Amino acid sequence: MNLKEFLELFLKFENDCDMFRVRVNHVNIWHYIRLPIYEELIKVFGLCDAGVKAVPKKATYPMTLERYWREKVTCNQFFAQKRDVLIFSHPRKYKDDGKYYKCIYTHLLDKSLDNSHYVLDRRNMENNFMLQRSSNILYCDMGNYLKMKRIKFSHESVLRSDVDNKIIAPIQNYFHIDINWRLGKVWLEMINSYLNQRKNWISYYSYMLGKINPKIILLVVSYDYDKMFLCEVASKRNIPVVELQHGAMGCSALQYNFYKKMNLPSFPDYIFTFGQFEKETTRFPLSKDRIIPVGFPELEDSYHKYKKRKNCKKTVVFISQGFKEIAEYANIVAKKLDKHKYHIIFQLHPKEYDNWESTLGKYLCHSNIEVTGSFGNTIHETLAQADWVIGNYSTVLYEAQMFDTKVVILKFGLYQIVEYLYANKYALLVDSPEQLVKEIEEDTFKPDKSITIFEKNSLEKMQKEIIKIIRQNQR
Protein backbone atom coordinates (compact mmCIF):
# COMPACT_ATOMS: atom_id res chain seq x y z
CA MET A 1 0.00 0.00 0.00
CA ASN A 2 1.39 3.40 -0.97
CA LEU A 3 0.66 6.78 0.60
CA LYS A 4 -2.02 7.72 -1.90
CA GLU A 5 -3.88 4.47 -1.31
CA PHE A 6 -3.62 4.89 2.45
CA LEU A 7 -5.09 8.41 2.30
CA GLU A 8 -8.08 7.05 0.37
CA LEU A 9 -8.50 4.31 2.97
CA PHE A 10 -8.26 6.86 5.79
CA LEU A 11 -11.00 9.04 4.24
CA LYS A 12 -13.21 5.97 3.87
CA PHE A 13 -12.51 5.01 7.50
CA GLU A 14 -13.66 8.46 8.67
CA ASN A 15 -16.90 8.03 6.76
CA ASP A 16 -17.57 4.38 7.57
CA CYS A 17 -16.96 4.88 11.30
CA ASP A 18 -18.75 8.24 11.37
CA MET A 19 -15.74 9.82 13.10
CA PHE A 20 -16.89 13.43 12.68
CA ARG A 21 -19.78 12.64 15.06
CA VAL A 22 -17.50 11.29 17.79
CA ARG A 23 -17.96 13.38 20.94
CA VAL A 24 -15.47 13.55 23.79
CA ASN A 25 -16.49 15.67 26.79
CA HIS A 26 -19.44 16.99 24.72
CA VAL A 27 -17.19 18.20 21.87
CA ASN A 28 -17.02 16.81 18.33
CA ILE A 29 -13.28 16.16 18.54
CA TRP A 30 -12.31 14.39 15.31
CA HIS A 31 -11.67 17.40 13.04
CA TYR A 32 -9.15 18.79 15.54
CA ILE A 33 -7.13 15.59 15.82
CA ARG A 34 -7.45 13.91 12.42
CA LEU A 35 -4.24 15.39 10.94
CA PRO A 36 -1.84 14.46 13.78
CA ILE A 37 -3.42 10.99 13.98
CA TYR A 38 -3.05 10.52 10.22
CA GLU A 39 0.59 11.62 10.39
CA GLU A 40 1.27 9.07 13.13
CA LEU A 41 -0.49 6.30 11.25
CA ILE A 42 1.56 6.77 8.07
CA LYS A 43 4.64 6.29 10.26
CA VAL A 44 3.10 3.16 11.80
CA PHE A 45 2.56 1.77 8.29
CA GLY A 46 6.09 2.75 7.26
CA LEU A 47 4.86 5.08 4.53
CA CYS A 48 6.94 8.09 5.54
CA ASP A 49 10.24 8.81 7.26
CA ALA A 50 9.94 11.30 10.09
CA GLY A 51 12.74 13.36 8.55
CA VAL A 52 15.28 15.51 10.34
CA LYS A 53 13.81 17.34 13.30
CA ALA A 54 14.37 21.06 12.94
CA VAL A 55 13.76 23.35 15.92
CA PRO A 56 14.31 27.10 15.61
CA LYS A 57 16.45 28.85 18.20
CA LYS A 58 14.76 31.21 20.59
CA ALA A 59 15.66 34.82 19.97
CA THR A 60 14.91 37.94 21.96
CA TYR A 61 14.76 41.52 20.76
CA PRO A 62 15.58 44.60 22.85
CA MET A 63 12.54 46.52 24.03
CA THR A 64 13.06 49.70 22.03
CA LEU A 65 10.79 52.71 22.34
CA GLU A 66 9.10 51.76 19.07
CA ARG A 67 8.43 48.19 20.24
CA TYR A 68 7.11 49.42 23.57
CA TRP A 69 4.82 51.97 21.91
CA ARG A 70 3.43 49.40 19.50
CA GLU A 71 2.78 46.74 22.13
CA LYS A 72 1.19 49.18 24.60
CA VAL A 73 -0.61 51.55 22.25
CA THR A 74 -0.81 51.31 18.44
CA CYS A 75 -1.02 47.50 18.19
CA ASN A 76 -2.79 46.93 21.50
CA GLN A 77 -5.64 44.48 21.00
CA PHE A 78 -7.68 46.11 23.76
CA PHE A 79 -7.91 49.34 21.75
CA ALA A 80 -9.49 47.63 18.73
CA GLN A 81 -12.44 49.33 17.05
CA LYS A 82 -14.98 48.19 14.48
CA ARG A 83 -13.59 47.25 11.06
CA ASP A 84 -15.11 45.54 8.00
CA VAL A 85 -12.37 42.93 7.50
CA LEU A 86 -10.26 40.98 9.99
CA ILE A 87 -7.11 39.34 8.57
CA PHE A 88 -5.03 36.70 10.37
CA SER A 89 -1.46 36.64 9.06
CA HIS A 90 1.03 33.76 9.07
CA PRO A 91 3.40 33.73 12.09
CA ARG A 92 6.38 33.24 9.77
CA LYS A 93 7.64 36.60 8.48
CA TYR A 94 10.32 37.74 6.04
CA LYS A 95 12.32 40.95 5.94
CA ASP A 96 10.51 43.71 4.12
CA ASP A 97 13.20 46.35 4.46
CA GLY A 98 15.73 47.01 7.20
CA LYS A 99 14.15 46.20 10.56
CA TYR A 100 10.62 45.56 9.28
CA TYR A 101 9.01 42.24 8.36
CA LYS A 102 6.09 41.05 6.23
CA CYS A 103 3.75 38.08 5.92
CA ILE A 104 4.04 37.01 2.29
CA TYR A 105 0.43 35.79 2.23
CA THR A 106 -1.30 38.91 3.55
CA HIS A 107 0.89 42.03 3.41
CA LEU A 108 0.05 43.00 -0.20
CA LEU A 109 -3.65 42.48 0.51
CA ASP A 110 -3.27 44.63 3.62
CA LYS A 111 -1.71 47.41 1.51
CA SER A 112 -4.28 47.31 -1.29
CA LEU A 113 -7.58 46.44 0.44
CA ASP A 114 -10.20 49.19 0.11
CA ASN A 115 -12.26 48.02 3.10
CA SER A 116 -11.40 49.09 6.64
CA HIS A 117 -9.49 46.26 8.27
CA TYR A 118 -7.17 44.94 10.96
CA VAL A 119 -4.41 42.35 10.71
CA LEU A 120 -4.41 40.28 13.90
CA ASP A 121 -0.83 39.07 14.23
CA ARG A 122 0.44 36.32 16.55
CA ARG A 123 3.95 35.85 17.86
CA ASN A 124 6.41 34.17 15.50
CA MET A 125 8.12 30.78 15.94
CA GLU A 126 10.60 32.47 18.29
CA ASN A 127 7.77 33.83 20.46
CA ASN A 128 8.23 37.47 19.41
CA PHE A 129 6.02 40.05 17.74
CA MET A 130 7.65 41.19 14.50
CA LEU A 131 7.79 44.87 13.57
CA GLN A 132 5.77 45.58 10.42
CA ARG A 133 5.17 48.77 8.47
CA SER A 134 1.39 48.44 8.41
CA SER A 135 -0.73 50.71 10.59
CA ASN A 136 -3.46 48.05 10.68
CA ILE A 137 -1.62 45.55 12.92
CA LEU A 138 -3.08 44.32 16.21
CA TYR A 139 -1.00 42.02 18.39
CA CYS A 140 -2.88 38.82 19.19
CA ASP A 141 -2.11 37.95 22.82
CA MET A 142 -4.54 35.47 24.30
CA GLY A 143 -2.46 35.04 27.48
CA ASN A 144 -2.56 38.74 28.23
CA TYR A 145 -6.31 38.78 27.58
CA LEU A 146 -6.91 36.00 30.13
CA LYS A 147 -4.70 37.81 32.63
CA MET A 148 -6.28 41.24 32.16
CA LYS A 149 -9.82 39.87 32.27
CA ARG A 150 -8.96 37.53 35.15
CA ILE A 151 -10.33 34.53 33.31
CA LYS A 152 -9.33 31.08 34.49
CA PHE A 153 -11.22 28.00 33.45
CA SER A 154 -11.17 24.85 35.56
CA HIS A 155 -8.95 22.13 34.09
CA GLU A 156 -10.78 19.47 32.10
CA SER A 157 -9.66 15.85 31.89
CA VAL A 158 -10.63 13.21 29.40
CA LEU A 159 -11.18 9.63 30.49
CA ARG A 160 -8.67 7.20 28.97
CA SER A 161 -11.54 4.78 28.40
CA ASP A 162 -13.28 7.40 26.22
CA VAL A 163 -10.21 7.75 24.01
CA ASP A 164 -9.74 3.96 23.90
CA ASN A 165 -13.36 3.25 22.96
CA LYS A 166 -14.12 6.19 20.66
CA ILE A 167 -10.77 6.83 18.93
CA ILE A 168 -8.30 3.97 19.32
CA ALA A 169 -10.68 0.98 19.03
CA PRO A 170 -12.22 2.09 15.70
CA ILE A 171 -8.72 2.68 14.27
CA GLN A 172 -7.41 -0.69 15.45
CA ASN A 173 -10.44 -2.57 14.16
CA TYR A 174 -10.58 -0.84 10.79
CA PHE A 175 -6.88 -0.91 9.95
CA HIS A 176 -6.15 -4.22 11.73
CA ILE A 177 -3.29 -2.78 13.79
CA ASP A 178 -2.40 -2.40 17.46
CA ILE A 179 -1.87 1.09 18.85
CA ASN A 180 0.73 0.80 21.62
CA TRP A 181 0.10 2.38 24.98
CA ARG A 182 2.72 5.11 24.42
CA LEU A 183 1.00 6.40 21.31
CA GLY A 184 -2.36 6.08 23.03
CA LYS A 185 -1.03 8.21 25.87
CA VAL A 186 0.21 10.84 23.40
CA TRP A 187 -3.24 11.03 21.82
CA LEU A 188 -4.90 11.29 25.24
CA GLU A 189 -2.63 14.18 26.22
CA MET A 190 -3.23 15.87 22.85
CA ILE A 191 -7.01 15.70 23.28
CA ASN A 192 -6.74 16.99 26.86
CA SER A 193 -4.64 19.92 25.65
CA TYR A 194 -6.97 20.79 22.78
CA LEU A 195 -10.10 20.74 24.93
CA ASN A 196 -8.55 22.98 27.57
CA GLN A 197 -7.03 25.37 25.02
CA ARG A 198 -10.36 25.46 23.22
CA LYS A 199 -12.09 27.18 26.13
CA ASN A 200 -9.38 29.87 26.29
CA TRP A 201 -9.37 30.54 22.56
CA ILE A 202 -13.16 30.61 22.24
CA SER A 203 -13.33 33.16 25.05
CA TYR A 204 -10.60 35.27 23.44
CA TYR A 205 -12.00 35.17 19.90
CA SER A 206 -15.51 35.89 21.16
CA TYR A 207 -14.13 39.01 22.83
CA MET A 208 -12.14 40.18 19.78
CA LEU A 209 -14.94 39.56 17.28
CA GLY A 210 -17.30 41.40 19.61
CA LYS A 211 -15.01 44.46 19.59
CA ILE A 212 -14.18 44.49 15.87
CA ASN A 213 -17.49 43.11 14.54
CA PRO A 214 -16.00 42.22 11.13
CA LYS A 215 -18.14 41.44 8.11
CA ILE A 216 -15.61 38.88 6.89
CA ILE A 217 -12.52 37.07 8.23
CA LEU A 218 -9.48 36.10 6.12
CA LEU A 219 -6.96 33.65 7.53
CA VAL A 220 -3.95 31.52 6.61
CA VAL A 221 -3.60 27.86 7.75
CA SER A 222 -7.10 26.97 8.91
CA TYR A 223 -5.91 23.62 10.31
CA ASP A 224 -3.96 25.28 13.14
CA TYR A 225 -6.17 24.26 16.05
CA ASP A 226 -6.74 27.83 17.29
CA LYS A 227 -8.05 28.78 13.82
CA MET A 228 -10.51 25.90 14.06
CA PHE A 229 -11.78 27.45 17.28
CA LEU A 230 -11.95 30.83 15.51
CA CYS A 231 -14.09 29.29 12.76
CA GLU A 232 -16.46 27.93 15.42
CA VAL A 233 -16.90 31.34 17.02
CA ALA A 234 -17.33 33.06 13.65
CA SER A 235 -19.92 30.46 12.59
CA LYS A 236 -22.06 31.22 15.65
CA ARG A 237 -21.85 34.95 14.80
CA ASN A 238 -22.64 34.36 11.11
CA ILE A 239 -19.32 35.88 10.01
CA PRO A 240 -17.97 34.23 6.83
CA VAL A 241 -14.41 32.89 7.07
CA VAL A 242 -12.13 32.67 4.03
CA GLU A 243 -8.85 30.76 3.94
CA LEU A 244 -6.07 32.08 1.71
CA GLN A 245 -4.18 29.15 0.20
CA HIS A 246 -0.60 29.01 1.44
CA GLY A 247 0.56 25.51 0.49
CA ALA A 248 -0.09 22.40 -1.55
CA MET A 249 -3.68 21.17 -1.69
CA GLY A 250 -4.77 18.77 -4.43
CA CYS A 251 -6.05 15.27 -3.74
CA SER A 252 -3.21 14.29 -1.36
CA ALA A 253 -3.38 16.93 1.39
CA LEU A 254 -5.50 15.46 4.18
CA GLN A 255 -6.19 18.89 5.71
CA TYR A 256 -8.44 19.78 2.79
CA ASN A 257 -9.71 16.41 1.60
CA PHE A 258 -12.86 14.76 2.94
CA TYR A 259 -14.91 11.75 1.89
CA LYS A 260 -18.02 13.86 1.29
CA LYS A 261 -19.49 17.35 1.63
CA MET A 262 -20.40 18.19 5.19
CA ASN A 263 -21.12 21.07 7.53
CA LEU A 264 -18.03 21.63 9.69
CA PRO A 265 -18.24 24.74 11.89
CA SER A 266 -14.48 24.40 12.53
CA PHE A 267 -13.69 24.65 8.78
CA PRO A 268 -13.66 27.90 6.72
CA ASP A 269 -16.73 28.87 4.68
CA TYR A 270 -14.71 29.75 1.55
CA ILE A 271 -11.28 28.96 0.11
CA PHE A 272 -9.29 31.36 -2.08
CA THR A 273 -7.04 29.06 -4.12
CA PHE A 274 -3.97 29.70 -6.27
CA GLY A 275 -5.76 28.41 -9.36
CA GLN A 276 -8.27 26.05 -10.97
CA PHE A 277 -6.16 22.98 -10.17
CA GLU A 278 -7.05 23.05 -6.46
CA LYS A 279 -10.72 23.64 -7.21
CA GLU A 280 -10.92 20.66 -9.54
CA THR A 281 -8.80 18.14 -7.63
CA THR A 282 -9.21 18.84 -3.89
CA ARG A 283 -12.17 17.21 -2.17
CA PHE A 284 -13.17 20.08 0.08
CA PRO A 285 -16.17 19.62 2.38
CA LEU A 286 -17.58 22.76 0.74
CA SER A 287 -19.66 23.20 -2.40
CA LYS A 288 -17.75 24.16 -5.59
CA ASP A 289 -19.10 27.71 -5.63
CA ARG A 290 -17.25 28.38 -2.36
CA ILE A 291 -13.85 27.45 -3.86
CA ILE A 292 -12.62 30.58 -5.65
CA PRO A 293 -9.38 30.67 -7.72
CA VAL A 294 -7.70 34.06 -7.20
CA GLY A 295 -3.91 33.53 -7.45
CA PHE A 296 -0.99 34.32 -5.14
CA PRO A 297 -0.19 38.08 -4.92
CA GLU A 298 3.32 37.74 -3.52
CA LEU A 299 4.37 35.23 -6.18
CA GLU A 300 2.88 37.37 -8.92
CA ASP A 301 4.68 40.42 -7.55
CA SER A 302 7.98 38.52 -7.30
CA TYR A 303 7.69 37.34 -10.89
CA HIS A 304 7.68 40.95 -12.06
CA LYS A 305 10.23 42.13 -9.49
CA TYR A 306 13.01 39.56 -9.96
CA LYS A 307 14.13 39.41 -13.56
CA LYS A 308 15.80 36.23 -14.78
CA ARG A 309 19.51 36.63 -14.12
CA LYS A 310 22.05 35.85 -16.81
CA ASN A 311 24.48 33.55 -15.04
CA CYS A 312 27.69 32.18 -16.53
CA LYS A 313 26.86 28.84 -14.90
CA LYS A 314 23.66 26.78 -14.86
CA THR A 315 22.00 27.08 -11.43
CA VAL A 316 20.59 23.94 -9.77
CA VAL A 317 18.45 24.58 -6.68
CA PHE A 318 17.55 21.87 -4.13
CA ILE A 319 14.56 22.61 -1.88
CA SER A 320 15.10 21.20 1.61
CA GLN A 321 12.31 19.84 3.77
CA GLY A 322 14.27 18.26 6.59
CA PHE A 323 14.91 14.97 4.78
CA LYS A 324 18.52 13.86 4.63
CA GLU A 325 17.83 12.20 1.26
CA ILE A 326 17.51 15.60 -0.43
CA ALA A 327 20.84 16.72 1.04
CA GLU A 328 22.43 13.42 -0.07
CA TYR A 329 21.15 14.00 -3.60
CA ALA A 330 22.63 17.51 -3.57
CA ASN A 331 26.02 16.23 -2.43
CA ILE A 332 26.19 13.49 -5.08
CA VAL A 333 25.06 15.85 -7.85
CA ALA A 334 27.65 18.45 -6.77
CA LYS A 335 30.39 15.81 -7.05
CA LYS A 336 29.29 14.58 -10.49
CA LEU A 337 28.48 17.86 -12.25
CA ASP A 338 31.26 20.06 -13.64
CA LYS A 339 31.71 22.91 -11.15
CA HIS A 340 32.82 25.21 -13.97
CA LYS A 341 29.43 24.76 -15.67
CA TYR A 342 27.02 24.29 -12.75
CA HIS A 343 26.38 25.99 -9.43
CA ILE A 344 24.43 24.12 -6.71
CA ILE A 345 22.19 25.98 -4.25
CA PHE A 346 20.67 24.18 -1.26
CA GLN A 347 17.67 26.22 -0.11
CA LEU A 348 16.86 25.62 3.56
CA HIS A 349 13.38 25.36 5.03
CA PRO A 350 12.71 28.23 7.51
CA LYS A 351 12.75 25.79 10.44
CA GLU A 352 16.29 24.77 9.45
CA TYR A 353 17.89 28.21 9.30
CA ASP A 354 19.42 27.94 12.77
CA ASN A 355 20.41 24.29 13.06
CA TRP A 356 21.04 22.92 9.55
CA GLU A 357 24.76 22.38 10.22
CA SER A 358 24.06 19.91 13.03
CA THR A 359 21.31 18.04 11.15
CA LEU A 360 22.31 18.21 7.47
CA GLY A 361 25.79 19.71 7.46
CA LYS A 362 27.67 16.45 6.92
CA TYR A 363 25.80 15.93 3.62
CA LEU A 364 26.44 19.48 2.34
CA CYS A 365 30.23 19.66 2.56
CA HIS A 366 31.05 19.90 -1.17
CA SER A 367 32.69 23.17 -2.21
CA ASN A 368 30.18 23.69 -5.05
CA ILE A 369 27.15 23.72 -2.72
CA GLU A 370 25.90 27.11 -1.54
CA VAL A 371 23.62 26.68 1.47
CA THR A 372 21.16 29.55 1.63
CA GLY A 373 18.06 30.61 3.54
CA SER A 374 17.15 33.39 5.95
CA PHE A 375 14.24 35.60 6.87
CA GLY A 376 16.07 38.35 5.00
CA ASN A 377 14.73 37.17 1.65
CA THR A 378 12.04 34.92 0.22
CA ILE A 379 12.46 31.76 -1.84
CA HIS A 380 11.22 33.62 -4.92
CA GLU A 381 14.54 35.42 -5.32
CA THR A 382 16.25 32.05 -5.56
CA LEU A 383 13.67 30.67 -8.00
CA ALA A 384 14.24 33.62 -10.32
CA GLN A 385 17.86 32.60 -10.91
CA ALA A 386 17.28 28.82 -11.09
CA ASP A 387 17.63 26.69 -14.20
CA TRP A 388 16.58 23.56 -12.29
CA VAL A 389 14.53 23.27 -9.08
CA ILE A 390 14.62 19.92 -7.28
CA GLY A 391 12.57 18.73 -4.31
CA ASN A 392 10.20 16.17 -2.87
CA TYR A 393 6.72 17.60 -2.17
CA SER A 394 7.23 21.27 -1.28
CA THR A 395 4.76 23.95 -2.41
CA VAL A 396 7.82 25.69 -3.85
CA LEU A 397 7.72 23.12 -6.66
CA TYR A 398 4.39 24.64 -7.71
CA GLU A 399 5.63 28.19 -7.24
CA ALA A 400 8.61 27.45 -9.49
CA GLN A 401 6.13 27.01 -12.37
CA MET A 402 5.80 30.81 -12.45
CA PHE A 403 9.47 31.17 -13.40
CA ASP A 404 11.55 30.02 -16.37
CA THR A 405 12.88 26.89 -14.71
CA LYS A 406 12.65 23.09 -14.90
CA VAL A 407 11.31 21.16 -11.93
CA VAL A 408 12.35 17.70 -10.74
CA ILE A 409 10.50 15.58 -8.15
CA LEU A 410 12.61 13.11 -6.14
CA LYS A 411 10.80 9.78 -5.90
CA PHE A 412 10.72 8.95 -2.19
CA GLY A 413 8.63 9.73 0.89
CA LEU A 414 5.67 12.00 0.20
CA TYR A 415 6.38 12.67 -3.47
CA GLN A 416 2.85 11.62 -4.51
CA ILE A 417 1.50 14.81 -2.92
CA VAL A 418 2.74 16.65 -6.03
CA GLU A 419 1.68 13.93 -8.48
CA TYR A 420 -0.20 16.52 -10.53
CA LEU A 421 3.10 18.11 -11.58
CA TYR A 422 4.83 15.04 -12.98
CA ALA A 423 1.63 13.39 -14.23
CA ASN A 424 0.93 16.44 -16.41
CA LYS A 425 4.54 16.97 -17.56
CA TYR A 426 5.10 20.14 -15.58
CA ALA A 427 7.92 18.30 -13.80
CA LEU A 428 10.19 15.26 -14.09
CA LEU A 429 10.04 12.35 -11.66
CA VAL A 430 13.45 10.76 -10.94
CA ASP A 431 14.44 7.95 -8.59
CA SER A 432 18.24 8.12 -8.45
CA PRO A 433 21.08 10.70 -8.36
CA GLU A 434 22.48 9.15 -11.53
CA GLN A 435 19.22 9.74 -13.41
CA LEU A 436 19.10 13.30 -12.08
CA VAL A 437 22.63 14.07 -13.26
CA LYS A 438 21.84 12.61 -16.69
CA GLU A 439 18.69 14.74 -17.05
CA ILE A 440 20.53 17.94 -16.05
CA GLU A 441 23.48 17.33 -18.37
CA GLU A 442 21.40 16.27 -21.39
CA ASP A 443 18.85 19.03 -20.71
CA THR A 444 16.19 17.62 -23.04
CA PHE A 445 13.15 17.94 -20.74
CA LYS A 446 10.63 20.52 -21.95
CA PRO A 447 7.93 21.20 -19.34
CA ASP A 448 4.36 21.76 -20.51
CA LYS A 449 3.61 25.46 -19.97
CA SER A 450 0.29 25.44 -21.82
CA ILE A 451 -1.80 25.60 -18.63
CA THR A 452 -1.39 28.35 -16.02
CA ILE A 453 -1.35 26.99 -12.47
CA PHE A 454 -1.63 30.43 -10.82
CA GLU A 455 -4.35 32.95 -11.60
CA LYS A 456 -3.29 36.42 -12.71
CA ASN A 457 -4.39 39.82 -11.32
CA SER A 458 -4.73 38.22 -7.89
CA LEU A 459 -5.17 41.34 -5.76
CA GLU A 460 -7.98 42.65 -7.94
CA LYS A 461 -9.72 39.28 -7.84
CA MET A 462 -9.38 39.05 -4.05
CA GLN A 463 -10.88 42.53 -3.58
CA LYS A 464 -13.78 41.71 -5.88
CA GLU A 465 -14.56 38.40 -4.15
CA ILE A 466 -14.29 39.89 -0.65
CA ILE A 467 -16.91 42.53 -1.52
CA LYS A 468 -19.10 39.87 -3.13
CA ILE A 469 -18.97 37.58 -0.08
CA ILE A 470 -19.75 40.46 2.28
CA ARG A 471 -22.79 41.41 0.22
CA GLN A 472 -24.03 37.84 -0.03
CA ASN A 473 -23.86 37.37 3.73
CA GLN A 474 -25.58 40.65 4.59
CA ARG A 475 -28.80 39.73 2.81
Side-chain angles (χ1 to χ4, degrees):
M1 181 166 55
N2 60 34
L3 187 63
K4 185 177 180 180
E5 291 169 337
F6 180 74
L7 185 139
E8 298 304 318
L9 183 62
F10 188 85
L11 295 181
K12 191 172 186 302
F13 153 72
E14 292 182 315
N15 181 70
D16 292 349
C17 296
D18 213 5
M19 295 304 291
F20 287 96
R21 291 184 180 273
V22 169
R23 293 176 68 81
V24 174
N25 288 25
H26 309 292
V27 174
N28 289 338
I29 196 67
W30 184 249
H31 187 213
Y32 300 113
I33 63 175
R34 70 190 292 256
L35 179 59
I37 284 181
Y38 172 78
E39 290 173 340
E40 288 294 338
L41 288 178
I42 62 177
K43 294 175 189 175
V44 170
F45 279 89
L47 298 173
C48 177
D49 191 318
V52 177
K53 187 175 182 180
V55 181
K57 292 179 181 177
K58 294 292 183 181
T60 56
Y61 297 88
M63 181 56 75
T64 62
L65 180 59
E66 181 179 12
R67 285 185 176 278
Y68 181 85
W69 184 255
R70 284 176 181 250
E71 290 192 20
K72 300 300 181 183
V73 183
T74 59
C75 300
N76 192 324
Q77 61 192 4
F78 297 113
F79 297 159
Q81 299 175 4
K82 295 189 184 304
R83 298 284 172 95
D84 285 346
V85 182
L86 180 57
I87 302 171
F88 286 78
S89 60
H90 196 288
R92 189 165 63 223
K93 306 290 191 298
Y94 292 88
K95 275 283 179 71
D96 187 13
D97 181 35
K99 64 182 177 180
Y100 295 101
Y101 287 77
K102 65 180 180 181
C103 164
I104 64 173
Y105 306 107
T106 62
H107 86 104
L108 289 175
L109 184 61
D110 173 33
K111 288 170 65 174
S112 66
L113 195 61
D114 293 334
N115 307 72
S116 64
H117 62 280
Y118 280 124
V119 178
L120 197 56
D121 189 46
R122 289 187 65 181
R123 297 178 188 272
N124 65 3
M125 293 185 293
E126 297 172 338
N127 201 36
N128 297 294
F129 290 117
M130 307 304 292
L131 288 178
Q132 298 172 71
R133 291 186 179 279
S134 173
S135 60
N136 300 309
I137 303 294
L138 286 179
Y139 288 156
C140 170
D141 194 335
M142 188 262 286
N144 193 33
Y145 159 76
L146 296 176
K147 180 180 178 181
M148 294 293 290
K149 299 296 182 180
R150 297 182 179 180
I151 295 172
K152 188 173 183 180
F153 294 101
S154 57
H155 185 77
E156 187 174 351
S157 294
V158 176
L159 294 174
R160 177 62 189 260
S161 58
D162 261 5
V163 176
D164 287 342
N165 295 331
K166 297 179 180 180
I167 306 294
I168 295 177
I171 291 173
Q172 291 186 141
N173 295 335
Y174 199 90
F175 294 101
H176 306 292
I177 57 172
D178 289 323
I179 301 299
N180 65 50
W181 70 270
R182 290 186 182 86
L183 186 53
K185 183 180 178 183
V186 169
W187 289 354
L188 173 65
E189 291 172 352
M190 173 180 66
I191 294 171
N192 268 320
S193 175
Y194 282 11
L195 289 178
N196 284 288
Q197 286 294 311
R198 179 175 180 272
K199 291 181 287 188
N200 293 333
W201 281 112
I202 285 180
S203 175
Y204 174 72
Y205 285 137
S206 297
Y207 171 78
M208 292 304 298
L209 296 189
K211 285 184 70 68
I212 299 170
N213 194 27
K215 297 174 182 176
I216 190 172
I217 295 171
L218 309 176
L219 57 79
V220 185
V221 195
S222 67
Y223 53 87
D224 279 350
Y225 69 89
D226 70 289
K227 298 305 187 301
M228 295 184 186
F229 305 145
L230 168 67
C231 289
E232 277 193 62
V233 176
S235 177
K236 290 181 180 178
R237 292 173 174 263
N238 296 314
I239 303 171
V241 177
V242 181
E243 178 171 7
L244 311 179
Q245 183 178 352
H246 76 286
M249 289 183 174
C251 61
S252 299
L254 180 80
Q255 303 93 309
Y256 302 103
N257 282 274
F258 296 80
Y259 192 81
K260 62 184 179 182
K261 308 297 182 189
M262 64 182 78
N263 178 29
L264 277 178
S266 47
F267 194 85
D269 302 291
Y270 300 85
I271 307 287
F272 282 180
T273 64
F274 291 154
Q276 286 289 337
F277 160 66
E278 290 82 11
K279 180 170 184 172
E280 299 303 322
T281 60
T282 312
R283 292 158 292 181
F284 297 105
L286 308 172
S287 59
K288 286 280 188 180
D289 63 311
R290 289 175 176 259
I291 314 304
I292 306 169
V294 296
F296 184 0
E298 181 74 14
L299 181 62
E300 194 173 355
D301 184 64
S302 295
Y303 172 75
H304 296 293
K305 185 186 299 182
Y306 306 120
K307 301 299 181 183
K308 186 73 176 179
R309 300 180 187 177
K310 297 291 185 181
N311 297 323
C312 59
K313 298 180 182 180
K314 293 282 188 180
T315 302
V316 180
V317 178
F318 285 85
I319 307 300
S320 180
Q321 289 181 273
F323 294 102
K324 64 180 178 63
E325 287 91 343
I326 301 177
E328 289 174 331
Y329 262 88
N331 197 45
I332 294 170
V333 169
K335 290 178 180 178
K336 291 182 177 293
L337 289 180
D338 186 343
K339 67 178 181 180
H340 298 294
K341 296 180 181 179
Y342 299 93
H343 176 51
I344 313 298
I345 294 177
F346 191 85
Q347 177 73 41
L348 298 168
H349 187 279
K351 291 183 179 180
E352 299 170 332
Y353 291 165
D354 293 321
N355 68 343
W356 70 270
E357 289 179 294
S358 62
T359 57
L360 299 173
K362 63 182 178 180
Y363 307 108
L364 303 172
C365 52
H366 194 277
S367 60
N368 194 28
I369 298 178
E370 176 192 351
V371 180
T372 185
S374 74
F375 291 111
N377 63 289
T378 69
I379 183 66
H380 300 152
E381 294 179 54
T382 304
L383 294 180
Q385 62 179 299
D387 294 286
W388 292 84
V389 176
I390 300 155
N392 185 228
Y393 69 96
S394 171
T395 308
V396 174
L397 302 172
Y398 282 94
E399 295 175 17
Q401 304 299 319
M402 182 72 80
F403 300 89
D404 183 20
T405 186
K406 299 181 180 183
V407 173
V408 175
I409 313 297
L410 302 179
K411 190 178 180 180
F412 75 92
L414 302 175
Y415 74 97
Q416 289 177 314
I417 288 177
V418 293
E419 179 183 18
Y420 178 81
L421 293 180
Y422 57 82
N424 291 279
K425 299 182 180 179
Y426 295 121
L428 273 173
L429 181 65
V430 305
D431 58 11
S432 72
E434 292 72 26
Q435 183 189 356
L436 178 56
V437 171
K438 183 175 183 290
E439 294 287 356
I440 293 173
E441 289 182 329
E442 293 183 354
D443 198 17
T444 57
F445 173 60
K446 296 188 182 301
D448 184 352
K449 296 288 186 178
S450 61
I451 300 175
T452 302
I453 293 179
F454 294 89
E455 293 286 311
K456 301 292 195 303
N457 303 315
S458 49
L459 285 173
E460 293 87 343
K461 288 180 179 176
M462 282 185 174
Q463 176 73 73
K464 177 183 176 182
E465 294 298 335
I466 288 168
I467 293 172
K468 183 178 177 181
I469 292 170
I470 289 175
R471 287 174 178 169
Q472 287 176 340
N473 286 273
Q474 285 184 324
R475 293 173 184 171

